[in-house]
Amino acid sequence: MKGPDIVSLNVEVPVPAPGEDLTPRPLLEVSGLTVSYPSATGPVEIVSGFDLTVARGERVALVGESGSGKSVTARALLRLDHRASVSGQVRLDGTDLLALDDREMRAQRGRRIGLMLQDPMTTLNPVRSIGSQVMESLRVHGVGKTEARKRAVETLDRLGIPDAERRMRAYPHEFSGGMRQRVCLAMAIVAHPDLLIADEPTTALDVRVQEQVLSLIDSLVTELGMGVVLITHDLGLVAGFADRVAVMYAGRGVECGPVGELYRSPRHPYTSGLLASVPRVDRDGALAPIAGSPAQPTSRPGGCAFHPRCARAEADCTEDRPDPRRIGTADVACHHPLVLAGEGNR
Amino acid sequence: MAPSLLARYLARRLALLVTTLWGVVTIVFLLIKAIPGDEAQAAAGVTATPEQVEVVRQRLGLDESVLQQYVNYLGRLLHGDLGTSIFTFQPVLGDLQQLIPYTVELVGLAMVINLTCGVPLGVWAAARHRTRTDNSVRLAAIFCGALPTFWLAMIAQTLIGRKLGLVPISGVSTLGVETPRRTGFLTIDSLLAGDLTAFSDALAHLVLPAAVLAIPFMSFVIRVVRGSMITALEADHVTAARAKGARERTVLLQHGLRNAIAPVSTLVGLQVGWMMGGAVMVETVFSRPGFGSYLTQAVAQQDTFAVIGMVLVVGVIVTFVGLAVDLVQLAADPRVRLLETRRASA
Ligand SMILES: Nc1ncnc2c1ncn2[C@@H]1O[C@H](COP(=O)(O)OP(=O)(O)OP(=O)(O)O)[C@@H](O)[C@H]1O
Ligand code: SF4
Ligand SMILES: [Mg+2]
């Protein structure tokens, strides 16, 4: 699993006991996740009944336009926002995260789930050294100073920070955007979590650095056997990275399926619209951005939230909210999904 | 910061310090020259004959040109000669040396009370931002800031001193409690002599005026700590720290208060100067020797050299406090270090 020049990250690979059920239990099971925030006019539901599963070693991309609730979902999974009220089910390796008390939840954060926040420029504390911030991920879980330092240096080194030992003493402003992003990644994975949630880890970076960061995450998944949720609004980016894609619109999952299928034959009109607006190497033709603007949480249309922008909308779309159902390999929440020639109509 | 750069920084700061003091001295000199009336007449006293006034004029060098007087004045200052008080007939420096410890003790304890109460209250309010606790602390802070020191002193004397009889309300020590003077600081000298009775006596005399002096200043500390902490706590690195699994206490101190050190130290630096001013009033009400009594007398008696001496000493203290604040910021904020490094190497 490791080449000679790769630092061992000491992963314990679970060995199934004889006779154990070998169908893998998903690492993360989210069902019916609903998140609302208080506002002057009462609670506003940002995420409504969102489902997601991630297996060990699986790379799942969570895609959606700006404001669709991706970051809110990520923070809700770790219960980071005490102002948000979170309901539904979040199971990590069978543990119901929403049922844990504060202390138990803290033990999960960082150690079981690593979160890489959206903006590398603000995720690092400007007045504390890089080293202390990476070490903090271990120190808060009771790892001793010497050990934490050793592992922080190893991880920074593994993530391609040159002269990591010395750079531990540096401060965030002394790092470029790409280097900061690596430090943020180091903070998220230094405690070897089972699940990494990376919120737009590449948005602020130029294309070359984007690729470097993605391939780092990619190799970590293999090396550590982590599951990854990669949050992005860039469908083009996930094609080469993800095993599965979950598409989010206005706080709801609209389509979720294997990346190849989803690219080849999107079922949900929103997914197909998104794909049409992404430049692709395998296809010529003009880009077609989706008409209209995303639904705001405070004024989401009833029925299917996408209906004002949807070319396939019919009368039922304005009244009934479509629930996800299995079509082929994907789960699709749409009354009138796109169907392939030869496939039976609804 | 590299040692050589630090040395250069210190050299630059000391040069600035000398320039500032020179400015203070010059302004004081010009102010005296601008006061209408004959200095020689004032020094000789109203009852002096014209001949006596002339003798004094020559002795003080007031018959020379203004420029020559200025040069003489600077020369004397450099030798630590602040002139002779026309009221006590003692060298001003000697008088001040006796009085400085009383005021420094008062301001010192007031600052300790100010910070040990103000900082935790500010942190507490910030941690409970937008709750009833926060609102009460904030209201209390605004209220404290609006209390006139004079009135507060009288109330404290009446309530705590006379009614409850908890602590003495005037002077610096009880008659009969003697402390061998070494540093001039009663608290320090009594400890050096191993005399705990004298120490607690000195402290008892000190605590009420110090508390009275501290209260209006606490108001600002609470508000600045609260404000800068709230700003710091909204930053992404705080969410990142929580995502690592950090406890709330760690988050508050390492990612909130740690980032508030710079603004708070700026405020505290300014407050030292203001407190010296406030001490004049408090010392008068509590009948304590110190800058207050000396300055009141000096002004009433038109005691020029005494006034100059006072202004100089306060100027020196405030300037050195400013240097200390800058060094604290240099230690606390790497961005300040960066700025200074750039300047030092420019
Ligand atoms: N703390 C909060 N309180 C109230 N509303 C919030 C809060 N955080 C986010 N929202 C709202 O939730 C909605 C979704 O925000 P979110 O940050 O999850 O979007 P996103 O999908 O991550 O978008 P982007 O691609 O821009 O990061 C937005 O309308 C936002 O205004
Ligand atoms: S449910 Fe109706 S409006 Fe919504 S995406 Fe499907 S067809 Fe369009
Ligand atoms: Mg986001």
Side-chain angles (χ1 to χ4, degrees):
Chain A
M1 138 187 158
K2 15 195 143 94
D5 55 1
I6 296 174
V7 177
S8 157
L9 291 173
N10 306 325
V11 195
E12 292 155 32
V13 179
V15 182
E20 198 185 326
D21 178 11
L22 287 182
T23 46
R25 179 169 60 185
L27 175 62
L28 177 75
E29 288 174 273
V30 180
S31 64
L33 181 75
T34 300
V35 187
S36 50
Y37 280 93
S39 81
T41 55
V44 179
E45 209 168 275
I46 306 286
V47 176
S48 324
F50 180 71
D51 305 329
L52 186 73
T53 49
V54 182
R56 278 183 193 281
E58 191 182 29
R59 308 158 179 81
V60 176
L62 177 55
V63 183
E65 281 168 306
S66 186
S68 54
K70 306 181 296 292
S71 299
V72 167
T73 303
R75 289 203 301 272
L77 295 182
L78 279 94
R79 288 173 43 196
L80 283 176
D81 230 331
H82 61 91
R83 294 200 314 125
S85 55
V86 181
S87 59
Q89 256 206 0
V90 180
R91 288 188 175 277
L92 183 72
D93 228 356
T95 315
D96 182 0
L97 294 188
L98 300 189
L100 300 181
D101 66 25
D102 284 353
R103 201 177 51 83
E104 292 165 333
M105 190 60 219
R106 271 206 310 273
Q108 303 284 321
R109 296 187 190 129
R111 224 173 42 159
R112 307 289 315 276
I113 312 181
L115 174 64
M116 199 177 163
L117 289 173
Q118 192 158 355
D119 186 352
M121 296 320 219
T122 57
T123 301
L124 297 170
N125 187 337
V127 306
R128 293 185 51 198
S129 70
I130 296 298
S132 77
Q133 299 190 58
V134 177
M135 283 163 67
E136 189 171 44
S137 299
L138 296 164
R139 301 280 291 138
V140 296
H141 294 294
V143 177
K145 208 165 192 160
T146 330
E147 172 72 8
R149 167 167 298 281
K150 196 178 113 241
R151 284 171 62 180
V153 173
E154 273 173 16
T155 306
L156 288 173
D157 189 56
R158 167 69 186 80
L159 295 186
I161 306 273
D163 204 1
E165 181 95 50
R166 199 177 54 82
R167 298 293 270 166
M168 291 275 284
R169 282 197 303 273
Y171 288 88
H173 68 255
E174 302 171 52
F175 280 64
S176 69
M179 283 296 155
R180 281 191 215 203
Q181 198 54 289
R182 286 165 202 247
V183 175
C184 294
L185 182 56
M187 291 200 307
I189 60 132
V190 68
H192 298 166
D194 303 310
L195 178 72
L196 169 68
I197 305 176
D199 194 349
E200 315 229 7
T202 59
T203 312
L205 309 175
D206 66 54
V207 180
R208 206 174 52 85
V209 184
Q210 275 186 7
E211 276 164 12
Q212 288 171 352
V213 171
L214 269 191
S215 77
L216 270 176
I217 295 180
D218 197 60
S219 61
L220 283 171
V221 178
T222 324
E223 215 168 290
L224 301 175
M226 284 187 307
V228 177
V229 177
L230 175 81
I231 298 178
T232 178
H233 55 244
D234 185 353
L235 254 185
L237 193 75
V238 302
F241 176 84
D243 304 315
R244 273 187 320 123
V245 181
V247 183
M248 198 171 198
Y249 183 79
R252 291 178 63 85
V254 294
E255 177 162 7
C256 179
V259 66
E261 294 285 293
L262 188 126
Y263 269 70
R264 239 173 291 126
S265 53
R267 307 289 183 155
H268 196 282
Y270 176 64
T271 314
S272 111
L274 269 188
L275 284 169
S277 63
V278 173
R280 282 166 68 175
V281 278
D282 61 345
R283 192 188 57 192
D284 293 331
L287 299 180
I290 307 174
S293 53
Q296 293 306 308
T298 42
S299 57
R300 276 182 190 157
C304 172
F306 188 56
H307 81 253
R309 302 170 75 187
C310 181
R312 298 174 66 84
E314 289 175 25
D316 53 347
C317 299
T318 58
E319 276 145 35
D320 295 336
R321 199 160 83 167
D323 283 320
R325 58 201 165 105
R326 181 53 64 102
I327 302 175
T329 51
D331 293 311
V332 185
C334 175
H335 293 309
H336 314 285
L338 298 143
V339 285
L340 301 177
E343 251 178 7
N345 216 335
R346 273 176 313 125
Chain B
M1 205 185 248
S4 69
L5 283 175
L6 185 65
R8 245 194 284 180
Y9 169 79
L10 281 177
R12 213 164 46 82
R13 278 305 318 233
L14 282 175
L16 190 68
L17 194 131
V18 171
T19 320
T20 312
L21 286 181
W22 174 70
V24 170
V25 166
T26 306
I27 289 172
V28 168
F29 178 82
L30 292 176
L31 281 178
I32 289 165
K33 292 294 148 197
I35 295 172
D38 187 354
E39 275 174 272
Q41 177 75 60
V46 273
T47 54
T49 61
E51 289 76 29
Q52 285 171 323
V53 171
E54 276 320 301
V55 172
V56 169
R57 189 186 308 285
Q58 273 176 27
R59 208 188 57 216
L60 296 181
L62 292 172
D63 50 346
E64 295 182 75
S65 73
V66 174
L67 193 66
Q68 186 59 47
Q69 285 182 41
Y70 178 62
V71 172
N72 294 345
Y73 161 81
L74 286 185
R76 285 198 304 272
L77 283 186
L78 282 181
H79 290 99
D81 178 4
L82 295 181
T84 303
S85 162
I86 59 167
F87 180 69
T88 63
F89 303 107
Q90 299 293 318
V92 169
L93 187 66
D95 281 350
L96 286 177
Q97 270 169 349
Q98 285 195 347
L99 294 175
I100 288 169
Y102 292 120
T103 302
V104 169
E105 241 171 5
L106 176 64
V107 169
L109 185 61
M111 194 49 96
V112 169
I113 295 175
N114 181 27
L115 293 180
T116 49
C117 299
V119 172
L121 280 173
V123 171
W124 192 40
R128 302 264 186 288
H129 185 33
R130 281 194 245 271
T131 65
R132 201 170 298 162
T133 309
D134 178 28
N135 287 333
S136 325
V137 172
R138 212 174 35 161
L139 266 179
I142 293 171
F143 179 70
C144 286
L147 294 176
T149 303
F150 182 74
W151 179 83
L152 204 60
M154 306 290 255
I155 295 289
Q157 281 187 329
T158 314
L159 273 186
I160 299 170
R162 287 211 190 89
K163 280 253 167 65
L164 300 175
L166 290 179
V167 284
I169 56 167
S170 75
V172 292
S173 60
T174 308
L175 211 65
V177 178
E178 295 289 338
T179 307
R181 310 308 289 270
R182 277 144 100 179
T183 61
F185 293 90
L186 274 183
T187 46
I188 297 177
D189 286 346
S190 56
L191 280 183
L192 285 179
D195 187 347
L196 284 183
T197 321
F199 176 72
S200 56
D201 181 61
L203 208 58
H205 281 84
L206 203 52
V207 68
L208 198 56
V212 165
L213 180 56
I215 283 176
F217 290 91
M218 227 150 74
S219 160
F220 290 95
V221 169
I222 292 173
R223 280 186 269 176
V224 169
V225 169
R226 176 183 171 275
S228 10
M229 289 250 326
I230 285 173
T231 311
L233 290 176
E234 271 163 6
D236 283 346
H237 59 78
V238 168
T239 312
R242 292 201 178 108
K244 292 173 187 176
R247 298 159 186 272
E248 242 2 66
R249 201 173 53 119
T250 312
V251 171
L252 277 180
L253 299 182
Q254 296 293 319
H255 293 271
L257 193 58
R258 177 78 177 71
N259 294 50
I261 291 178
V264 173
S265 62
T266 305
L267 176 73
V268 168
L270 293 171
Q271 283 192 336
V272 171
W274 299 337
M275 268 196 183
M276 306 280 256
V280 172
M281 166 93 70
V282 173
E283 281 171 353
T284 310
V285 177
F286 285 89
S287 322
R288 291 176 57 88
F291 283 2
S293 56
Y294 195 70
L295 189 66
T296 318
Q297 274 172 4
V299 169
Q301 306 284 339
Q302 286 200 342
D303 195 342
T304 319
F305 290 114
V307 175
I308 298 180
M310 282 280 313
V311 172
L312 267 184
V313 168
V314 174
V316 169
I317 293 177
V318 168
T319 320
F320 272 96
V321 167
L323 178 62
V325 166
D326 284 354
L327 289 176
V328 166
Q329 298 201 340
L330 206 62
D333 195 331
R335 291 163 301 178
V336 176
R337 282 205 288 282
L338 177 75
L339 212 67
E340 294 300 342
T341 307
R342 287 219 186 105
R343 264 197 220 152
S345 48

